Amino acid sequence: MIPSDDRPSDAEIATINARHLAVTPLKPADLLFVFGSREGVALRVASAARLWRAGFFRRAIVSGGVTPGGALSECAVIKAAMVEAGVPGELILEELAATNTGENVILSLPVLDAEVGLDRIHSVICLGNAWTARRYPMTLHRHWPAVEKMLLTVNSFGVPMASWPDHPVLRALVLAEWAKIEPYKRNGFIADWPAIGV
């Protein structure tokens, strides 16, 4: 990712903070949906283990295929680390082929339906990178509107997420993700999901 030299205006920052970098209250859910990535794996795993210990999910699914230069799928890497951190392996479902957020959802739904039954899952916590933020539940909402969605994100850049406008690489990531929202909605890849804080 090329660092961004262009700092958005204060109004743009406020809009992105409110509409894209959404945070939701968390409550115990039927499912933790871990979106695969090579970024922030340790933070993802620590968050998943913390949620498990606190009783915030009954089952989990980890979705993510092999990325260029990798030998193992994102799913295999993250699941193994979650088990090491204390989440029971038999409660973690696997989706091993997805290469993007849309595929994370599309390829995971049949796994969930076969193993649990989609009609038995009423609430989901989405776990992924902070800069992708609301696009996770928006993608889930496009393909599975009935389920209640919550969002928990991790930020591997070592600065508070509120500092994103002043961190060139993080700023570039946030702006790139923000730029995808309207085109993805027009193309039917994602669906409107409540913008928390607006």
Side-chain angles (χ1 to χ4, degrees):
M1 175 61 63
I2 299 171
S4 171
D5 293 327
D6 299 324
R7 190 179 195 280
S9 69
D10 289 346
E12 289 170 321
I13 291 167
T15 299
I16 292 169
N17 286 342
R19 299 203 52 207
H20 180 61
L21 302 178
V23 293
T24 66
L26 295 183
K27 64 182 183 181
D30 296 321
L31 180 73
L32 176 68
F33 196 124
V34 184
F35 288 80
S37 178
R38 293 292 188 200
E39 255 328 301
V41 169
L43 290 172
R44 246 182 197 73
V45 169
S47 294
R50 186 178 71 251
L51 289 175
W52 172 253
R53 288 191 299 272
F56 272 83
F57 63 92
R58 296 181 189 144
R59 299 290 296 266
I61 188 163
V62 181
S63 173
V66 176
T67 52
L72 296 173
S73 68
E74 293 170 343
C75 173
V77 170
I78 294 169
K79 178 178 177 177
M82 284 173 64
V83 171
E84 175 92 14
V87 182
E90 65 272 17
L91 300 182
I92 306 172
L93 301 175
E94 301 177 0
E95 186 293 302
L96 300 159
T99 60
N100 58 55
T101 307
E103 289 183 356
N104 287 139
V105 172
I106 291 166
L107 298 177
S108 291
L109 290 180
V111 175
L112 289 166
D113 201 23
E115 295 293 327
V116 181
L118 293 179
D119 59 333
R120 297 179 65 197
I121 302 170
H122 304 289
S123 53
V124 177
I125 297 171
C126 301
L127 176 59
N129 292 323
W131 49 91
T132 305
R134 191 169 65 114
R135 195 161 62 81
Y136 294 121
M138 291 180 82
T139 305
L140 198 60
H141 198 61
R142 163 65 179 83
H143 300 282
W144 197 8
V147 75
E148 180 184 2
K149 297 151 198 81
M150 293 166 274
L151 177 62
L152 178 64
T153 61
V154 297
N155 167 19
S156 56
F157 283 90
V159 297
M161 200 58 202
S163 300
W164 71 265
D166 303 310
H167 188 288
V169 176
L170 186 53
R171 178 169 67 236
L173 288 166
V174 169
L175 293 176
E177 287 294 331
W178 173 244
K180 292 176 184 178
I181 297 295
E182 290 306 320
Y184 278 21
K185 281 168 56 177
R186 283 196 301 273
N187 286 309
F189 300 151
I190 61 177
D192 278 321
W193 180 72
I196 305 303
V198 174

